[in-house]
Amino acid sequence: MDWDDLRVFLAVARAESLSGAGKRLQLDPATVGRRVARLEEGAGARLFLKSPQGYALTEEGARLVPHAEAAEAALIGATEALSGGSGVGLSGQIRLGAPDGCANYILPQVVRAICDENPALEVQIVALPRVFNLSRREADLAIGVSRPQAGRLTVQKLSDYRLHLAAHPDYLAAAPPLRGLADLGAHRVVGYIADMIFDKELDYLASLGTQPPRAASNSVSVQLNLLRAGAGVGVAHDFALPFAPELVKVLPEALSLTRTFWLIRHEADAHSARLSRFADRLAHGIRREVQRLESLT
């Protein structure tokens, strides 16, 4: 079985289309289709079912995926060994997926430090308010706000972080008194768009019994800017508050939340010394940066 055909097979399995795989491999879709057909002929099995939704793995194709990923991991490991991958410096491209709060307020400082130490390294931060699909290789590593319960993944705890209610003093001066959580019903609350909360750990307001947010966004940074503009009162990350010094914490004794960042990797990458070294440096940097930023609030 030819590795190059297996590489194409994995790309189609992850993209679920010939065109998507072609973009990743820099091949035209017709060439990708011919490679898949050649692999199917050699294997004597149908690996994909074509439908209007794209290319779906057959049972035989699904059984081939872990073997193809093992071959991919072995090839990456061999390349790292020959290029001195166990040495001091990191090189090449690493794509990191992260929720936008972490991506906006923590990762820039952490990634700058890692890149300063490794001039040949290219780090891409993909900031999206959703869960990343590592099986489709949307990223090499991902940061999540809850621990995945399924999938062929390895998970490492990065850091706990804290959240509190916050608001602009001008808003508080013009709004009704806010002496306890029961008073929130008389206030304009800033928060997530309810049907766009991608993880239950982000549903901060569920336990407060408040009305749906009257100023809402799926983005943490937009929510913070709404608070800065005096749009209301809402839950903010302590690590983001140093970037909005005009905001003040509200009822910190009544509401103090703790959440956790997790580093998630595909199981097939467990033996990649390069990714493991990057992950260790990233974890150390995030823990230190969260602690530094929270100490400023």
Side-chain angles (χ1 to χ4, degrees), residues 8-9 12 18 32-41 48:
V8 171
F9 162 77
V12 175
L18 298 184
V32 174
R34 287 194 296 271
R35 295 283 185 84
V36 169
R38 185 170 71 182
L39 180 61
E40 288 181 329
E41 183 179 355
F48 294 100

Side-chain angles (χ1 to χ4, degrees), residues 14-157:
R14 290 163 179 167
E16 297 183 344
S17 72
L18 298 184
S19 59
K23 287 179 182 178
R24 298 185 186 189
L25 299 171
Q26 297 184 334
L27 296 172
D28 64 86
T31 300
V32 174
R34 287 194 296 271
R35 295 283 185 84
V36 169
R38 185 170 71 182
L39 180 61
E40 288 181 329
E41 183 179 355
R46 188 80 176 272
L47 303 176
F48 294 100
L49 290 176
K50 185 179 179 182
S51 72
Q53 288 73 42
Y55 276 66
L57 287 165
T58 63
E59 185 178 340
E60 291 82 0
R63 288 202 299 266
L64 180 59
V65 167
H67 299 286
E69 288 178 337
E72 179 185 56
L75 184 61
I76 291 172
T79 302
E80 289 177 355
L82 291 175
S83 62
S86 59
V88 175
L90 291 166
S91 61
Q93 181 188 100
I94 294 177
R95 179 173 291 182
L96 174 64
D100 70 322
C102 180
N104 275 285
Y105 303 112
I106 298 174
L107 288 183
Q109 303 84 264
V110 175
V111 167
R112 177 200 59 79
I114 296 175
C115 288
D116 283 351
E117 297 168 358
N118 302 275
L121 179 66
E122 174 190 344
V123 180
Q124 298 180 344
I125 300 173
V126 184
L128 291 175
R130 64 173 176 81
V131 177
F132 282 81
N133 191 325
L134 295 184
S135 296
R136 296 183 183 178
R137 287 305 196 255
E138 292 181 336
D140 297 300
L141 312 93
I143 295 171
V145 294
S146 63
R147 187 178 188 125
Q149 300 301 312
R152 298 175 54 242
L153 305 167
T154 60
V155 183
Q156 171 186 354
K157 181 177 178 178

Side-chain angles (χ1 to χ4, degrees), residues 64 96 157 164 186 203 206 288 291:
L64 180 59
L96 174 64
K157 181 177 178 178
H164 290 88
D203 196 4
R288 184 171 59 186
Q291 184 177 33

Side-chain angles (χ1 to χ4, degrees), residues 245-256:
E246 64 271 46
L247 297 181
V248 296
K249 289 183 180 179
V250 177
L251 305 175
E253 296 83 10
L255 181 71
S256 179

Side-chain angles (χ1 to χ4, degrees), residues 135-191:
S135 296
R136 296 183 183 178
R137 287 305 196 255
E138 292 181 336
D140 297 300
L141 312 93
I143 295 171
V145 294
S146 63
R147 187 178 188 125
Q149 300 301 312
R152 298 175 54 242
L153 305 167
T154 60
V155 183
Q156 171 186 354
K157 181 177 178 178
L158 290 175
S159 176
D160 291 332
Y161 61 94
R162 295 178 297 170
L163 308 99
H164 290 88
L165 288 169
H168 195 287
D170 290 349
Y171 167 80
L172 294 173
L178 186 50
R179 302 185 184 93
L181 295 179
D183 296 330
L184 282 173
H187 283 259
R188 187 168 56 222
V189 175
V190 173

